[in-house]
Amino acid sequence: MEENVRLAYLYDFYGELLKEDQRELYSAFVFDDLSLQELADERGISRQAVHDRVKRCINSMEEYERQLGLIDKYHRIEELTKEIAASPLLAGGDAAERERVLLLLDRITEVL
């Protein structure tokens, strides 16, 4: 399960940098849970060719992550916003202001 989550994050952050046919293949493999053989049969190519193409997509996106670190930054920001939301300073204040701060924290993570 953890591997699928990692692959989904790679796609969320870097999928648009893949070519359209790469995105379609990767999406079918990761999100539609099609097997390499199913994808090979569907495309009229060998299972090994599908494996190689999927692996190239993963390698490309992992390289983008190594260079840019967007997923890592996202997770760090997510943790920090959770810490802020749990802060005792917010617990003792005005309920409306607390709600506003919590909404702003949610919007921060959505921006990424």
Side-chain angles (χ1 to χ4, degrees), residues 21 24-25 28 34 38-45 50 53:
D21 61 316
E24 289 173 4
L25 182 69
L34 296 179
E38 289 171 318
L39 290 167
D41 293 344
E42 185 178 283
R43 287 169 170 71
I45 58 177
V50 172
R53 291 177 187 181

